[in-house]
Amino acid sequence: MYERLARPVLFRLGHGDAETAHETTLRWLARTAKSPMAVRALAAVSRAGGGPPRTVFGVRFPNPVGLAAGLDKDGRALAAWPALGFGFVEVGTVTAHAQPGNDRPRLFRLPDSGAVINRMGFNNAGAAALAARLDELGRLPVPLGISLGKSKITPLPEAVDDYVTSLRALRGHGDYLAVNVSSPNTPGLRTLQDAAYLRDLLAALGAELAGAKPLLVKVAPELTDEALGELLAVCVEHGVAGVIATNTTLARDGLAAGDAGRASERGGLSGRPLAARAREVVAFVTRETGGALPVIGVGGIMTADDAERMVDAGASLVQIYTGLIFRGPALVREINHRLADRPTMTAGVSVS
Ligand SMILES: Cc1cc2nc3c(=O)[nH]c(=O)nc-3n(C[C@H](O)[C@H](O)[C@H](O)COP(=O)(O)O)c2cc1C
């Protein structure tokens, strides 16, 4: 229904401006989320439910399909996501200071490639605003992850304090915290993946959290094996609970000829062309850590087959973003049905 009816309308909104479609959908979902009756109706229409429950890094997930960071940055439509079938939701990335993000247009669809390029630049209302919203909302029926990033106005040498400010505002909320050091759209951010910077950052965040919540690190797909190996060693050293792999890519491989015009837009590419590399990174992390660091696999999951391949590569949980734009909530249901049939994903499996 989404692909035949809703998508053609959404893709035409704002003369094809992708952010207008995003805003319209989010506004509608935010309105729906306010009414318990509407949420129940949405769950019935989307036939949400099912999927294999899992316990990963000590958190119980009703199913392993999550909403990736960046779609509902400020948690505006939180109650709607479980009704669409998601087993967990990652909000953010939020920053210590509210910020408008980059100038529009900053979100581009590449339909022939099943891809999107974005240079949103962490447009968000700030960590304190998210904390206030979560205070009001109370607990969700599924686990909540909170992604933290660096404010654009904060110089790199002061990044640690910036993350700590956000962490202090939000550590009482959510079931896990994700450290985003891999967005390509905040100048210098990816430098924080370097072992020396990451060590300081994780030491400070770890001290603030004092083991109260699992802390995860989200990585870029461009890291070399060597850099990723170093990053993982620092993660293990600092008691990081898991890795999210991967963020968007600056590469432009695997694009269809019909999308050539859009390929030169600056920003991170997500969707189908990212799938193979994201899977490779997931496999590398699994291999390198001997499976000791659970991985949330994200990048280019557009079908149930893709999700299954991500799990085969070693992912304990998966997330989707671009797949939802192109396939709608049916994708969540499809993945859950497929993974429910896998013997290794059945109830009781525990990865800690
Ligand atoms: C428009 C857009 C905004 C995003 N914003 C964030 C973000 O704020 N924080 C983050 O960690 N990842 C962000 N991402 C990356 C996604 O969470 C995900 O890692 C990436 O898109 C790959 O998954 P996909 O191919 O399923 O989209 C964003 C992606 C898109 C398309």
Side-chain angles (χ1 to χ4, degrees):
M1 197 164 90
Y2 172 84
E3 283 178 74
R4 270 186 297 120
L5 296 175
R7 189 175 77 181
V9 175
L10 282 172
F11 278 20
R12 266 187 219 114
L13 288 176
H15 305 285
D17 172 49
E19 193 169 346
T20 305
H22 173 263
E23 264 301 306
T24 305
T25 310
L26 199 57
R27 216 176 304 125
W28 183 78
L29 286 173
R31 217 175 301 132
T32 303
K34 287 208 176 94
S35 151
M37 212 163 79
V39 169
R40 276 197 300 276
L42 185 63
V45 170
S46 63
R47 289 178 283 141
R54 308 209 84 189
T55 299
V56 186
F57 43 78
V59 177
R60 181 161 173 85
F61 295 81
N63 75 61
V65 185
L67 180 73
L71 207 162
D72 191 4
K73 284 184 163 71
D74 293 314
R76 289 164 54 192
L78 280 178
W81 302 114
L84 290 175
F86 286 100
F88 65 110
V89 182
E90 193 170 308
V91 290
T93 296
V94 291
T95 52
H97 299 277
Q99 56 184 38
N102 292 320
D103 292 340
R104 290 172 74 159
R106 53 192 178 177
L107 180 62
F108 308 90
R109 284 186 296 259
L110 289 77
D112 292 353
S113 313
V116 157
I117 292 175
N118 92 83
R119 51 169 179 269
M120 305 299 287
F122 295 161
N123 52 311
N124 78 101
L130 178 61
R133 177 164 281 149
L134 295 176
D135 269 337
E136 234 173 77
L137 206 67
R139 270 198 87 77
L140 278 188
V142 299
L144 177 72
I146 302 177
S147 171
L148 309 179
K150 182 186 81 66
S151 312
K152 189 175 181 187
I153 55 164
T154 302
L156 206 57
E158 289 159 36
V160 171
D161 287 346
D162 196 78
Y163 279 89
V164 166
T165 303
S166 295
L167 183 83
R168 284 186 181 148
L170 285 160
R171 67 183 155 194
H173 298 280
D175 298 279
Y176 71 84
L177 292 154
V179 188
N180 182 1
V181 282
S182 49
S183 165
N185 299 316
T186 295
L189 189 84
R190 285 180 163 193
T191 311
L192 298 170
Q193 292 179 120
D194 296 352
Y197 283 99
L198 191 65
R199 198 168 277 121
D200 285 352
L201 180 57
L202 293 180
L205 295 178
E208 287 291 329
L209 262 184
K213 295 257 158 83
L215 189 66
L216 279 71
V217 172
K218 184 163 179 179
V219 301
E222 279 89 357
L223 288 176
T224 61
D225 286 359
E226 192 189 350
L228 196 51
E230 282 173 20
L231 175 145
L232 292 172
V234 175
C235 286
V236 170
E237 198 181 300
H238 287 277
V240 162
V243 170
I244 306 172
T246 68
N247 215 312
T248 55
T249 182
L250 289 168
R252 292 293 183 264
D253 305 326
L255 294 179
D259 291 323
R262 289 258 155 106
S264 56
E265 289 293 348
R266 273 178 303 107
L269 176 76
S270 57
R272 201 191 305 139
L274 177 59
R277 179 58 192 156
R279 226 161 33 227
E280 241 170 51
V281 176
V282 169
F284 181 89
V285 175
T286 307
R287 220 171 33 242
E288 186 80 0
T289 62
L293 266 189
V295 187
I296 301 181
V298 52
I301 298 178
M302 316 297 280
T303 63
D305 281 349
D306 293 332
E308 208 167 15
R309 277 194 284 264
M310 195 59 110
V311 169
D312 286 338
S316 299
L317 303 163
V318 296
Q319 289 178 328
I320 57 173
Y321 189 146
T322 307
L324 192 64
I325 296 175
F326 287 101
R327 303 280 326 281
L331 177 60
V332 184
R333 194 168 57 237
E334 236 174 78
I335 298 174
N336 270 319
H337 282 174
R338 178 70 64 83
L339 296 182
D341 290 339
R342 286 174 60 101
T344 52
M345 294 294 287
T346 44
V349 171
S350 172
V351 183
S352 48

